[in-house]
């Protein structure tokens, strides 16, 4: 199998606080993990790519100081939304690949169930 | 840059009837295309993928898709819908200009199955 979990599934926080979301690969080692954001009735947008033991690569327009990503082990990546504001409310989804990133062929990404963040 | 457009935000069919979810792509390269399904409270699941081999791709749960370069389409079909097929479906292209792993998602099509 290739199961990815996320915790928490839902979180509500006050504006100005920080929130940490965990992404775990339960039955495989994930060299690479991805973080996506999904607004209501919109598609998933890639935020960043993280490799175990190295700094994350952020997509254009994503503030790296606001969305802190740590991929400290082969089974865990965390996304911390710092000083959250209502506009950060969204559905955050992670995915993981079993091996290292390859140019080709496509290395299947296994997705977590997502975390719904609501900032009041 | 690669992109995909899902032509219907919502499709409703009766159980036992065919399903057609439409997707058009735009790509400067030979694309890799995918269909993912998202059930409530579950992670996205890969239904099928096209990576420049056979143009008719068969996936899980009886779904298939045909890559048509002349029409820049990659529509998803299933001969007979089941209630369990109700979910959100995403057409996805791999942005090969940024490495095969970057996925660009369409906006999704919600499939409703009527009893």
């Amino acid at each position: 199998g290739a199961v990815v979990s996320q915790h928490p599934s839902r979180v509500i926080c006050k504006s100005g606080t920080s929130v940490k979301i965990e992404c775990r690969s339960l039955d495989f080692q994930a060299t690479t993990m991805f973080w996506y954001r999904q607004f209501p009735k919109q598609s998933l947008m890639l935020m960043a790519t993280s490799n175990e033991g190295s700094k994350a690569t952020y997509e254009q327009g994503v503030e790296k100081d606001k969305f802190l990503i740590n991929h400290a082990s082969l089974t865990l990546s965390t996304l911390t939304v710092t000083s959250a504001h209502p506009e950060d409310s969204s559905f955050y989804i992670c995915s993981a690949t079993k091996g290292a990133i390859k140019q080709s062929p496509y290395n299947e990404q296994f997705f977590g169930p997502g975390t719904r963040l609501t900032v009041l | 840059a690669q992109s995909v457009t899902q032509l219907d935000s919502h499709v409703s069919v009766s159980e036992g009837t065919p399903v057609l979810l439409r997707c058009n792509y735009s790509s400067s390269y030979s694309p890799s295309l995918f269909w993912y399904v998202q059930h409530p409270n579950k992670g996205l699941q890969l239904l099928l993928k096209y990576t420049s081999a056979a143009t008719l791709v068969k996936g899980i749960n009886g779904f298939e898709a045909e890559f048509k370069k002349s029409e820049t389409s990659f529509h998803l079909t299933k001969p007979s819908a089941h209630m369990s097929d109700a979910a959100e479906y995403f057409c996805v292209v791999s942005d090969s200009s940024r490495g095969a792993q970057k996925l660009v998602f369409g906006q999704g099509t919600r499939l409703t199955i009527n009893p």
Side-chain angles (χ1 to χ4, degrees):
Chain A
V3 180
V4 176
S5 70
Q6 285 184 239
H7 178 79
S9 57
R10 293 177 178 268
V11 58
I12 300 173
C13 69
K14 293 182 179 180
S15 185
T17 61
S18 295
V19 174
K20 180 184 284 187
I21 301 169
E22 292 185 348
C23 175
R24 292 182 185 273
S25 55
L26 298 184
D27 51 4
F28 66 99
Q29 292 187 329
T31 307
T32 305
M33 287 184 167
F34 303 83
W35 285 96
Y36 294 85
R37 184 173 181 177
Q38 184 180 24
F39 289 105
K41 299 186 179 181
Q42 294 189 28
S43 64
L44 280 74
M45 298 294 293
L46 180 65
M47 298 175 65
T49 303
S50 73
N51 292 294
E52 184 265 337
S54 62
K55 289 184 178 181
T57 302
Y58 290 81
E59 294 299 303
Q60 191 173 8
V62 178
E63 299 175 60
K64 63 180 180 180
D65 294 330
K66 181 168 187 63
F67 299 99
L68 301 179
I69 292 172
N70 184 285
H71 191 164
S73 78
L74 286 172
T75 60
L76 174 65
S77 176
T78 60
L79 168 68
T80 302
V81 183
T82 62
S83 186
H85 291 285
E87 58 265 30
D88 298 323
S89 298
S90 190
F91 195 53
Y92 292 88
I93 301 173
C94 73
S95 71
T97 58
K98 288 185 177 181
I101 279 185
K102 297 185 291 184
Q103 288 300 110
S104 180
Y106 172 67
N107 195 1
E108 183 174 349
Q109 294 180 29
F110 300 94
F111 287 82
T115 297
R116 186 163 301 283
L117 170 63
T118 302
V119 185
L120 303 177
Chain B
Q2 278 87 332
S3 66
V4 287
T5 301
Q6 292 183 243
L7 302 174
D8 307 292
S9 59
H10 185 209
V11 170
S12 181
V13 302
S14 298
E15 189 176 19
T17 64
V19 175
L20 169 63
L21 305 184
R22 299 182 294 166
C23 173
N24 286 114
Y25 70 89
S26 173
S27 175
S28 303
Y29 304 85
S30 179
S32 293
L33 292 158
F34 315 85
W35 277 97
Y36 275 86
V37 60
Q38 185 180 36
H39 289 277
N41 302 318
K42 290 187 177 181
L44 286 148
Q45 182 183 21
L46 181 65
L47 277 178
L48 49 80
K49 63 182 178 183
Y50 166 77
T51 54
S52 74
T55 57
L56 181 62
V57 182
K58 294 187 183 299
I60 61 172
N61 301 335
F63 284 95
E64 62 181 40
E66 186 172 6
F67 174 74
K68 292 186 176 180
K69 187 174 181 179
S70 61
E71 299 177 10
T72 62
S73 70
F74 190 58
H75 301 334
L76 181 71
T77 60
K78 182 173 181 177
S80 176
H82 293 163
M83 295 299 293
S84 60
D85 294 329
E88 188 87 15
Y89 291 79
F90 292 93
C91 182
V92 182
V93 65
S94 171
D95 186 349
S96 55
S97 67
R98 297 282 304 275
Q101 309 310 318
K102 181 180 178 182
L103 302 181
V104 178
F105 283 76
Q107 292 198 322
T109 298
R110 179 164 298 276
L111 177 63
T112 301
I113 311 297
N114 303 311

